[in-house]
Amino acid sequence: MSAVSELSLRRDPIRLLLSRGLWRSVWYLLGYLAVGWALFAIALSTAVAGAGLSITFAGLPVLVAAAATIRWCADVERARLRPVARIQGTYRQVTGHGIMAQLRARWRDPATWRDVAYLVGMFVPLLALDAIVLAVWWAFLAGITLPIWYWAPWQTIHGVRYHGYDLGYHPNGPHGPGGWGLYVNTLPEAFAVAAVCLVLFLIFNYAVVATARAHVAVARGLLGAAEDPLREAKEVLGRPGPLSSNLRA
């Protein structure tokens, strides 16, 4: 079974919870939050530095080095993707000698610009999507454990100390006027909230896996090998047809 097929949504909630696909998805999304910003900063800074210095001949080697650095960042992301997808980048070979040959080969290569699109252009939307999904997932997971620690939080209101977890806004205490939401300060309330969070957690696992699949699809489209848009048509034309069979007969 391939790693991509393990990110399947065709499982019941319990099987999904116990599957490697869910936890690989969580680990992959967490890894992007930890590594994605570093790759973004390196790719953006080197590209900007290379572009700024390229107005002089002395800056051309910097521009070549910037392309190599961006490729390295893309390779790091491909390596991080291996548990969930096998993505192989294809780059043009440098033909000729000298700085100008390297410059033309690297910066006229569509693969370099696809790397930039993923590392820089898609950073903000992917980071925001991953962060929001993981934050909600983590909130439901924490809610399941509420009976263990609901009593620990406390706040002082009008000189009175209240213990409990505030799921809302209660400026005058758990039972005071002007509040809304639920103030969890008893064990039955904590168990009730935990039960609701458990159901929501099992359902939201599908959103986590779907987010990972979408992220992988973006990475595959930009960091993977470019596909020929006429590939299917060429395959059809290359197959032996009825006319060729009649000619052989």
Side-chain angles (χ1 to χ4, degrees):
M1 181 182 294
S2 66
V4 176
S5 64
E6 290 185 359
L7 301 184
S8 174
L9 297 173
R10 296 181 180 179
R11 293 186 174 99
D12 61 72
I14 301 301
R15 288 181 59 198
L16 181 62
L17 176 64
L18 300 177
S19 69
R20 287 184 297 179
L22 171 63
W23 301 104
R24 279 182 171 177
S25 298
V26 172
W27 184 250
Y28 173 69
L29 298 179
L30 282 173
Y32 188 76
L33 298 184
V35 178
W37 67 269
L39 298 179
F40 164 78
I42 294 172
L44 180 62
S45 59
T46 53
V48 170
L53 295 174
S54 63
I55 58 176
T56 65
F57 183 79
L60 297 183
V62 179
L63 199 57
V64 173
T69 303
I70 291 171
R71 177 174 175 175
W72 176 83
C73 291
D75 286 338
V76 170
E77 184 65 9
R78 292 187 190 98
R80 205 178 63 80
L81 278 159
R82 283 173 189 163
V84 293
R86 298 283 180 176
I87 298 177
Q88 183 67 39
T90 55
Y91 297 88
R92 293 179 179 175
Q93 297 296 322
V94 178
T95 57
H97 303 280
I99 290 294
M100 295 306 299
Q102 294 189 40
L103 191 66
R104 285 192 295 268
R106 295 182 186 275
W107 284 104
R108 289 181 180 178
D109 189 351
T112 299
W113 292 104
R114 292 198 304 271
D115 291 346
V116 173
Y118 178 84
L119 295 169
V120 179
M122 294 302 299
F123 171 70
V124 172
L126 289 177
L127 183 73
L129 176 63
D130 295 355
I132 292 172
V133 169
L134 286 176
V136 175
W137 182 83
W138 182 259
F140 290 147
L141 182 60
I144 297 173
T145 66
L146 191 61
I148 301 174
W149 54 268
Y150 75 94
W151 51 269
W154 61 272
Q155 57 180 323
T156 300
I157 302 175
H158 305 314
V160 180
R161 184 168 178 170
Y162 296 97
H163 281 267
Y165 187 66
D166 193 353
L167 288 171
Y169 177 68
H170 297 85
N172 297 303
H175 308 293
W180 57 269
L182 178 63
Y183 198 99
V184 182
N185 59 357
T186 66
L187 188 58
E189 291 175 342
F191 273 116
V193 172
V196 174
C197 287
L198 176 60
V199 174
L200 295 176
F201 174 76
L202 293 175
I203 296 174
F204 200 77
N205 285 335
Y206 291 97
V208 174
V209 176
T211 301
R213 288 167 61 95
H215 196 143
V216 170
V218 173
R220 185 187 299 278
L222 294 176
L223 299 182
E227 294 187 0
D228 186 356
L230 300 178
R231 178 178 58 84
E232 294 184 1
K234 292 178 180 178
E235 290 179 355
V236 172
L237 293 175
R239 296 172 186 166
L243 182 58
S244 61
S245 301
N246 293 335
L247 291 176
R248 286 197 299 269

